[in-house]
Amino acid sequence: MPRPRHPEFDKKKVVAENRRARFDYVIEDKFEAGIALTGTEVKSLRFGEGSIQESYAEVKDGEAFLINANIPEFSHGNRFNHEPKRPRKLLLKAREIEKLFGAVARQGMTLVPLSIYFNARGRAKVELALARGRKTHDKREYEKEKDWKREQGRLLRQHG
């Protein structure tokens, strides 16, 4: 019997986070994907280095790739060190890749990495979101809504 998935993916140690993604995009669905890394990349991530600020994912020839994620070269790496911004293959089931490809092709959605983390088993994972871009006025609305919710919480705590 397969173990149940998804309760926010049982994150262990978050290495890189794209905090702006939640502001720039409306997140529709989340996926957990493995990521094919070389040894020096894993070591670099374990030291807490790495950035996914301007990165995105795309589906090409039935495979998913993480594009533009920056994992800096490992400081103690030798000539086998990796290229910091190379495209990295995402490990997903074929059915998940099809679903992602369909959503991107038909509905104009974007694949945005939300975070890179190590799970309980010590494997590097990417939390991938199927997202829709926000317009500038939507972003303003989102900010107002967030501020109002924060204010509501503050008022309730004062009078509670």
Side-chain angles (χ1 to χ4, degrees):
M1 187 165 99
R3 61 188 174 150
R5 303 286 290 167
H6 200 273
E8 231 23 68
F9 306 134
D10 306 319
K11 286 186 185 180
K12 187 181 172 196
K13 181 187 171 207
V14 176
V15 179
E17 200 171 11
N18 189 352
R19 298 186 48 202
R20 199 160 162 82
R22 283 176 171 63
F23 177 70
D24 288 338
Y25 299 95
V26 179
I27 286 146
E28 305 274 325
D29 203 1
K30 291 181 189 172
F31 293 89
E32 178 184 47
I35 181 169
L37 299 170
T38 65
T40 52
E41 286 171 328
V42 174
K43 286 179 179 178
S44 225
L45 284 175
R46 287 217 187 272
F47 275 105
E49 296 174 349
S51 157
I52 52 172
Q53 291 309 101
E54 288 108 33
S55 64
Y56 61 96
E58 70 179 16
V59 177
K60 249 196 311 218
D61 305 326
E63 292 182 331
F65 292 94
L66 183 63
I67 311 292
N68 214 9
N70 184 24
I71 300 174
E73 287 189 343
F74 182 54
S75 54
H76 303 336
N78 53 13
R79 65 173 193 261
F80 299 115
N81 229 331
H82 63 277
E83 194 182 314
K85 285 205 171 194
R86 74 176 180 87
R88 294 168 177 92
K89 187 174 175 181
L90 293 175
L91 311 171
L92 288 154
K93 291 190 165 84
R95 190 178 279 147
E96 287 178 320
I97 292 175
E98 286 300 313
K99 183 178 178 183
L100 295 174
F101 181 71
V104 169
R106 280 193 297 277
Q107 301 158 4
M109 313 255 301
T110 314
L111 289 173
V112 185
L114 298 177
S115 62
I116 295 180
Y117 59 94
F118 288 100
N119 68 3
R121 295 177 60 193
R123 301 263 191 252
K125 300 286 182 180
V126 177
E127 186 180 8
L128 209 56
L130 205 48
R132 194 180 304 279
R134 269 199 180 113
K135 304 277 189 289
T136 310
H137 62 88
D138 292 340
K139 290 180 188 177
R140 283 192 211 114
E141 287 295 316
Y142 176 70
E143 274 300 307
K144 282 181 195 166
E145 198 176 301
K146 218 164 71 171
D147 289 345
W148 170 236
K149 282 184 179 161
R150 194 179 303 127
E151 191 61 35
Q152 270 181 325
R154 204 175 285 137
L155 290 170
L156 286 172
R157 275 194 303 274
Q158 282 176 354
H159 300 293

